């Protein structure tokens, strides 16, 4: 906790944003950092609540010891604060920027709608640690002689690789793209998280003995079985990148795209890379001077909105089949769990038109095959079309952002064939079967963690699974482990 009476004396404050009119002119982060003194005042608001729901099981997936590092920040002990934070979270500068902060939803002060600014404090600790030079390589003192391969360098793969290297294993990370980071680098826009933070962590991990092999598509360029034969363990962290099938007529029109190729292209442009990417269409997709429609109401849809505005879109409309949620939740009914309530992302606040309880009936095009509009209608509480409510929205580009149903099937899954047990849920998502205890798959010496196992989820959940899988692998190889679960 922080100051005993801090929550009574200090108002909640979070980092401010640049005005929307300014931030849409660039792709950089637009959060205005708070001073150390302001951050310490926010940490001081952490109260002696008795049961800190913020760090689990309803709050933080990695079980950050939030009251502890709030107290350390309040007392100016930044060095110990980052040590404490790193004990549960390998990459707090990632989560401090892109996590939706379920910890704040679970904060006791959220009963009064003024939770501790946990996410702001977490990011400040990580940034301060870099500024002070506290984040350095931590190579293992002794080597185990064991060799582990990690397929995929997203947050799950990176977290697992770092933990395994620190346990003394020789770790090799195989990444399909030209740089490490997975969708953390290529899917999340730079205005939410600039990629130099990934680069700094990669350099730290290299200093700890992790070897990165980029531009290697496992299952295509290298057989999975060869990795299994050459290593003592292989961890599959391939992510969930296959878009859900929208089954909307007219998807063949020029101008209709899945969301991820659009986001990946823009991130590659900013990173000064060729927009051609394995698994994604390579024709340029640009929103400048166009009317944009985004189908979907989640984070990926919101990222498309913000990207379109920065590219110079004339108008952006976002369609959500769900009813408009209430402005405020019933605290006694849902706290400390994540509540369904009206939330407006920074991208949506930049001028998006949001349509709720609307279904996309079809994409409309001209005789040349170009998209001209999106036909929609209102739906009832069972998401069934309401007769007579049809309308058409003008559109030059449309992005489908309704989620992902599993990993790409053209590489690892295809290479392993029926040897790897998969699970298909009621929505058609196909995930690799592995439990949360040991993360073992049906293939000998192969483990799986992150979105490839649990389905699309948050970065913080990927970090948790990577850490837990690393512990399971270390225990399997050595008979015991000191890595945390």
């Amino acid at each position: 906790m922080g100051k005993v009476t801090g929550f009574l004396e200090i108002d909640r404050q979070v980092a401010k944003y640049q005005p929307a009119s300014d931030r849409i002119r660039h792709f950089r982060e637009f959060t205005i950092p708070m001073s150390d003194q302001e951050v310490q005042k926010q940490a001081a608001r952490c109260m002696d609540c008795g049961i800190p729901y913020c760090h689990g099981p309803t709050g933080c997936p990695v079980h950050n010891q939030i009251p502890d590092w709030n107290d350390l920040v309040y007392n100016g002990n930044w060095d110990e604060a980052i040590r404490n934070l790193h004990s549960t979270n390998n990459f707090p500068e990632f989560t401090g920027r892109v996590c939706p902060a379920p910890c704040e939803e679970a904060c006791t002060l959220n009963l009064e709608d003024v939770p501790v600014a946990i996410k702001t404090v977490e990011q400040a600790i990580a940034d301060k640690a870099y500024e002070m030079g506290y984040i350095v390589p931590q190579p293992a003192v002794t080597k185990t002689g064991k060799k582990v391969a990690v397929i995929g360098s997203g947050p799950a793969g990176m977290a697992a690789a770092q933990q395994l290297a620190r346990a003394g294993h020789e770790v090799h990370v195989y990444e399909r793209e030209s740089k490490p980071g997975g969708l953390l680098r290529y899917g999340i826009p730079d205005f939410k998280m600039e990629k130099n933070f990934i680069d700094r962590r990669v350099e730290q991990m290299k200093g700890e003995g992790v070897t990165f092999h980029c531009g290697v598509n496992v299952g295509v360029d290298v057989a999975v079985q060869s990795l299994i034969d050459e290593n003592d363990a292989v961890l599959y962290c391939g992510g969930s990148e296959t878009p859900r099938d929208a089954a909307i007529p007219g998807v063949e029109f020029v101008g209709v795209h899945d969301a991820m190729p659009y986001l990946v292209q823009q991130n590659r442009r900013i990173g000064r890379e060729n927009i051609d990417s394995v698994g994604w269409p390579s024709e340029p997709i640009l929103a400048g001077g166009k009317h944009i429609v985004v189908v979907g109401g989640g984070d990926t849809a919101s990222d498309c909105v913000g990207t379109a505005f920065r590219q110079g879109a004339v108008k952006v409309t976002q369609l959500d089949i769900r009813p408009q949620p209430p402005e405020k939740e019933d605290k006694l009914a849902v706290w400390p769990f994540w509540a369904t309530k009206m939330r407006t992302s920074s991208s949506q606040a930049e001028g998006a038109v949001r349509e709720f309880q609307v279904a996309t009936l079809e994409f409309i095009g001209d005789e040349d095959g170009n998209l001209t509009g999106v036909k929609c209608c209102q739906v009832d509480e069972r998401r069934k079309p309401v007769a007579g409510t049809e309308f058409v929205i003008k559109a030059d580009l449309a992005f489908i952002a309704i989620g992902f149903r599993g990993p790409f099937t053209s590489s690892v899954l295809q290479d392993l064939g029926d040897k790897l047990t998969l699970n298909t849920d009621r929505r058609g998502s196909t995930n690799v079967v592995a439990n949360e205890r040991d993360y073992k798959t049906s293939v000998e010496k192969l483990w799986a963690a992150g979105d490839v196992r649990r389905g699309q989820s948050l970065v913080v959940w990927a970090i948790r699974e990577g850490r837990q899988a690393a512990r399971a692998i270390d225990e399997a190889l050595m008979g015991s482990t000191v890595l945390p679960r």
Side-chain angles (χ1 to χ4, degrees):
M1 59 172 289
K3 185 179 180 181
V4 174
T5 56
F7 72 98
L8 295 171
E9 302 168 6
I10 303 167
D11 292 333
R12 168 182 162 90
Q13 298 290 332
V14 295
K16 301 293 191 297
Y17 294 157
Q18 292 177 2
S21 58
D22 293 338
R23 66 181 188 248
I24 63 171
R25 299 176 185 274
H26 61 79
F27 280 88
R28 301 184 303 277
E29 290 184 16
F30 50 78
T31 301
I32 302 172
M34 298 170 67
S35 68
D36 291 353
Q37 293 73 25
E38 290 172 321
V39 173
Q40 286 177 287
K41 287 176 65 176
Q42 292 308 304
R45 296 186 64 247
C46 189
M47 64 187 295
D48 186 8
C49 59
I51 300 176
Y53 287 97
C54 58
H55 64 77
T58 58
C60 180
V62 292
H63 304 303
N64 282 337
Q65 299 170 97
I66 294 163
D68 299 60
W69 44 255
N70 271 325
D71 185 63
L72 291 166
V73 169
Y74 166 58
N75 287 291
N77 193 344
W78 296 91
D79 188 6
E80 189 58 33
I82 191 61
R83 291 175 188 270
N84 187 299
L85 184 47
H86 272 153
S87 71
T88 57
N89 185 353
N90 295 67
F91 314 121
E93 67 275 25
F94 300 170
T95 53
R97 285 171 165 80
V98 303
C99 185
C103 52
E104 294 189 16
E105 292 286 307
C107 177
T108 300
L109 285 175
N110 191 39
L111 287 167
E112 298 294 328
D113 291 316
V114 286
V116 175
I118 300 169
K119 180 177 175 179
T120 297
V121 176
E122 179 179 18
Q123 179 181 335
I125 294 172
D127 291 348
K128 183 73 171 179
Y130 273 112
E131 177 188 330
M132 299 300 291
Y134 296 148
I135 299 179
V136 295
Q138 300 175 35
V141 177
T142 58
K143 299 294 185 180
T144 64
K146 302 292 185 180
K147 186 178 177 183
V148 182
V150 178
I151 303 171
S153 65
M158 286 182 66
Q162 185 165 63
Q163 294 295 93
L164 288 164
R166 290 176 175 179
H169 304 304
E170 179 185 345
V171 181
H172 292 259
V173 179
Y174 295 85
E175 169 56 44
R176 183 190 69 220
E177 298 288 353
S178 55
K179 294 180 181 179
L183 289 187
L184 195 65
R185 178 184 295 275
Y186 293 103
I188 294 176
D190 275 54
F191 57 79
K192 290 177 69 173
M193 190 186 82
E194 294 179 17
K195 304 311 182 281
N196 62 296
F197 299 106
I198 301 174
D199 296 334
R200 293 196 297 195
R201 282 296 178 182
V202 168
E203 288 305 308
Q204 181 196 30
M205 292 170 65
K206 287 179 178 178
E208 295 168 347
V210 178
T211 302
F212 288 88
H213 304 271
C214 293
V216 179
N217 191 2
V218 175
V220 178
D221 304 322
V222 176
V224 180
Q225 190 59 51
S226 68
L227 291 184
I228 294 174
D229 294 340
E230 295 167 6
N231 292 272
D232 297 287
V234 177
L235 176 60
Y236 181 26
C237 298
S240 180
E241 299 176 283
T242 301
R244 293 191 187 282
D245 184 5
I248 301 172
V251 292
E252 71 279 1
F253 287 121
V254 175
V256 180
H257 303 273
D258 287 311
M260 197 50 65
Y262 176 58
L263 298 176
V264 169
Q265 273 194 17
Q266 185 55 40
N267 282 344
R268 293 178 77 88
R269 286 190 191 96
I270 295 172
R272 298 185 178 182
E273 297 184 62
N274 192 302
I275 64 170
D276 293 339
S277 182
V278 178
W280 306 111
S282 58
E283 68 273 11
I285 310 170
L286 295 167
K290 298 177 180 177
H291 290 74
I292 312 299
V293 171
V294 181
V295 180
D299 291 336
T300 302
S302 179
D303 292 344
C304 289
V305 170
T307 301
F309 278 129
R310 282 159 181 77
Q311 289 184 347
V314 174
K315 182 180 180 180
V316 181
T317 304
Q318 185 177 358
L319 308 179
D320 195 333
I321 199 170
R322 299 170 297 183
Q324 182 168 336
E327 289 293 330
K328 185 177 179 180
E329 74 275 31
D330 181 351
K331 299 290 186 183
L332 295 181
V334 298
W335 182 87
F337 297 96
W338 183 263
T340 298
K341 62 181 177 181
M342 189 65 176
R343 303 174 192 270
T344 301
S345 72
S346 59
S347 293
Q348 291 163 340
E350 290 163 2
V353 176
R354 302 172 71 184
E355 297 279 359
F356 289 96
Q357 210 161 342
V358 165
T360 305
L361 297 178
E362 66 174 309
F363 297 110
I364 301 171
D366 60 22
E367 59 186 16
D368 295 324
N370 298 308
L371 178 72
T372 59
V374 180
K375 185 177 181 181
C376 312
C377 73
Q378 298 291 325
V379 296
D380 59 22
E381 62 277 2
R382 300 180 64 185
R383 300 188 178 181
K384 301 297 183 182
V386 176
T389 62
E390 296 84 359
F391 60 99
V392 175
I393 301 173
K394 179 180 179 180
D396 305 300
L397 273 180
F399 300 116
I400 303 172
I402 58 172
F404 306 89
R405 58 182 178 85
F408 281 145
T409 57
S410 59
S411 52
V412 173
L413 299 189
Q414 186 178 66
D415 191 29
L416 288 174
D418 57 6
K419 290 188 291 185
L420 187 62
T421 303
L422 305 176
N423 175 57
T424 302
D425 66 17
R426 62 184 179 85
R427 292 192 66 193
S429 295
T430 302
N431 305 317
V432 176
V433 173
N435 63 51
E436 290 186 70
R437 185 181 66 258
D438 59 22
Y439 292 87
K440 280 187 174 181
T441 71
S442 55
V443 177
E444 187 67 22
K445 295 171 59 177
L446 180 66
W447 284 256
D451 287 5
V452 77
R453 189 202 71 86
R454 69 178 292 117
Q456 65 173 101
S457 191
L458 304 176
V459 169
V460 68
W461 273 107
I463 293 172
R464 168 181 169 152
E465 295 220 345
R467 287 170 60 88
Q468 291 186 335
R471 184 185 193 279
I473 290 171
D474 186 44
E475 188 172 32
L477 296 181
M478 306 304 296
S480 63
T481 182
V482 295
L483 291 178
R485 181 169 171 80

